[in-house]
Amino acid sequence: MPLLPTLSTFFIVISAILVAIGWRLISKNKRKTHKGVMIAAAISALTFFIIYASRTIFVGNTSFGGPDDIKIYYTIFLIFHIILATVGAVFGIVTLTLAFKRNIKKHRKVGPVTSIIWFFTAITGVAVYLLLYIIYDGGTTTSMIKAILGT
């Protein structure tokens, strides 16, 4: 197992678990604990991003090494994951900002949507990791654009 992709995937899973715990805590009206857990979830997500971005910049990304006949499906799935992750990150920043500015009314509306997006982002991220490094041997490690396009 490659260290950096495994580590970054670990942090995104931890982030999603913490978001689920935070959601449960707020449903029990444990606001202070909810806040701490959600900050920890954000830090975990940020740690993922730092590892991922650093690896992308300094090492590159790994292209799909599985069978050619499913490469197009993997590529479509990867693009979906990237869009989902980007939307999730933006929603996450908005949700955190609303909370820190004490705009709780809007935070309560946006928070559950953000959480659901984040859960799907984590699930699809784990699927990408499994397809790239566990189920199939990774392809060549190259720039992000080349990995996405499969060239």
Side-chain angles (χ1 to χ4, degrees):
M1 284 189 292
L3 178 62
L4 291 178
T6 303
L7 195 57
S8 64
T9 302
F10 168 79
F11 278 108
I12 208 63
V13 169
I14 292 299
S15 176
I17 291 168
L18 290 170
V19 167
I21 292 168
W23 195 341
R24 180 80 172 144
L25 287 167
I26 202 61
S27 74
K28 293 183 172 202
N29 206 28
K30 297 184 177 181
R31 292 179 183 161
K32 188 174 182 179
T33 310
H34 165 79
K35 180 180 178 179
V37 168
M38 296 310 265
I39 290 170
I43 291 168
S44 182
L46 181 60
T47 302
F48 154 80
F49 182 74
I50 290 167
I51 294 168
Y52 176 80
S54 298
R55 180 174 184 272
T56 299
I57 292 165
F58 297 109
V59 178
N61 283 335
T62 303
S63 63
F64 181 68
D68 285 341
D69 58 335
I70 65 169
K71 187 179 277 189
I72 186 66
Y73 302 109
Y74 168 79
T75 303
I76 292 166
F77 184 78
L78 177 62
I79 291 168
F80 171 73
H81 168 70
I82 291 168
I83 292 167
L84 195 61
T86 303
V87 170
V90 171
F91 267 73
I93 291 166
V94 168
T95 303
L96 286 167
T97 301
L98 289 169
F100 285 124
K101 288 187 172 185
R102 306 293 303 150
N103 190 341
I104 302 305
K105 188 174 181 180
K106 285 186 182 177
H107 176 80
R108 283 183 181 153
K109 289 181 180 180
V110 176
V113 174
T114 304
S115 297
I116 292 166
I117 293 169
W118 203 247
F119 296 143
F120 281 104
T121 299
I123 291 165
T124 58
V126 169
V128 167
Y129 170 81
L130 292 172
L131 288 166
L132 276 182
Y133 302 106
I134 306 300
I135 297 171
Y136 302 108
D137 291 331
T140 57
T141 298
T142 186
S143 73
M144 183 172 67
I145 298 300
K146 287 182 179 179
I148 290 170
L149 297 177
T151 59

